[in-house]
Amino acid sequence: MRVAAVYDVHGNLPALDAVLADVARAEVDVIVVGGDLAWGPPPSATVERLMDLGDQARFVVGNADLAHVAAFDGRAPAADPVTPDAAGWIASTQRDFLAAMPPHVVLSIEGLGPTLFCHGTPRSEIERVTTATSDERLRGLLVGVEQPVVVCGHTHRQFDRVVDGWRVVNPGSVGLPFEGRTGAFWALLGPRVELRRSEYDLDTALTALRAAGMPDSFEKRLSFSLIEPADPDEVAEFFERKALDSAD
């Protein structure tokens, strides 16, 4: 089995379409969509595009997906200015789809063996693993995990690292990467781990996203992700400090 790991789309439909075109050429058996589908514009079209993948796709819930569902239901305050707008733009069937996504998917991949897909860490969709995470902290996040390979997202930067008997891979983010350069990032798994980048025209994409009603708050996120990319090491260190603070 060969798998495409497609994570953290965040409503960036032009980036998603570029990745799916490359995925089709890679002739994979399964596409794992690793959460945070629709936080960003245009959410409805993005979720619909992913739902149309049908039986080829497996889905893992992300923190933004849960925030969408909560905001759609009116039972929890949104934690940011993007979610209320995006939650209001999805249909009830899409809300139900997001709510039904599981926290984990396990697949046996050629050359890699049993592989666990999650969003943040195997135990939480909001915990962070970054390029700055120490081996000691990473070991603690993997306690009890039986699979030798773990694929996680949430921090929007690609990595492939080994600690003890585990291999931990982050495919990066399709729609809102922190790589210090433009592009849509994903991973091809089986029989090796290949960290991939798909190119697309950012100016054309921005025009399409603005036409879809992209709120200013999300365009500010895109600014330091893609328009004027922030230093990826500084972003990783920022996320790592937040992870350590939340663990205290």
Side-chain angles (χ1 to χ4, degrees):
M1 176 184 289
R2 281 159 55 87
V3 175
V6 176
Y7 274 57
D8 293 292
V9 178
H10 285 287
N12 188 338
L13 186 57
L16 174 62
D17 283 339
V19 167
L20 292 180
D22 285 347
V23 167
R25 286 187 282 270
E27 298 182 343
V28 303
D29 301 291
V30 176
I31 301 170
V32 175
V33 182
D36 284 11
L37 280 59
W39 185 92
S44 180
T46 302
V47 176
E48 195 68 26
R49 181 76 173 87
L50 291 165
M51 292 172 66
D52 285 345
L53 294 175
D55 293 339
Q56 189 183 21
R58 307 287 188 275
F59 292 85
V60 171
V61 74
N63 58 298
D65 306 312
L66 296 175
H68 267 72
V69 172
F72 187 96
D73 294 348
R75 56 180 171 80
D80 59 72
V82 175
T83 303
D85 289 336
W89 292 342
I90 60 173
S92 59
T93 54
Q94 295 171 340
R95 175 261 175 223
D96 294 344
F97 178 81
L98 295 177
M101 295 192 302
H104 309 116
V105 166
V106 177
L107 298 172
S108 183
I109 300 177
E110 177 188 357
L112 299 176
T115 301
L116 184 149
F117 295 84
C118 57
H119 182 69
T121 70
R123 65 187 190 185
S124 169
E125 73 281 349
I126 61 173
E127 285 185 324
R128 295 179 172 93
V129 179
T130 75
T131 55
T133 298
S134 67
D135 285 354
E136 180 181 7
R137 189 169 82 83
L138 185 53
R139 288 188 191 99
L141 298 174
L142 297 172
V143 169
V145 175
E146 298 178 354
Q147 294 78 16
V149 181
V150 175
V151 180
C152 59
H154 190 43
T155 52
H156 298 208
R157 186 180 180 187
Q158 292 178 327
F159 60 72
D160 179 6
R161 57 186 295 186
V162 174
V163 58
D164 298 342
W166 293 289
R167 185 173 189 175
V168 184
V169 177
N170 190 320
S173 171
V174 170
L176 200 65
F178 296 126
E179 304 284 352
R181 56 179 178 153
T182 60
F185 297 83
W186 57 288
L188 179 62
L189 309 174
R192 300 171 300 278
V193 173
E194 299 179 31
L195 300 178
R196 296 287 188 100
R197 172 180 173 268
S198 296
E199 295 186 5
Y200 64 102
D201 188 283
L202 182 59
D203 289 337
T204 301
L206 288 171
T207 298
L209 294 173
R210 288 165 182 151
M214 176 169 60
D216 291 342
S217 53
F218 189 79
E219 185 157 356
K220 290 177 182 177
R221 309 295 175 97
L222 276 180
S223 178
F224 59 80
S225 169
L226 290 168
I227 300 170
E228 296 180 2
D231 183 293
D233 290 335
E234 291 182 2
V235 175
E237 290 166 3
F238 172 77
F239 282 152
E240 191 65 21
R241 288 194 299 272
K242 288 179 71 70
L244 293 172
D245 289 344
S246 64
D248 290 341

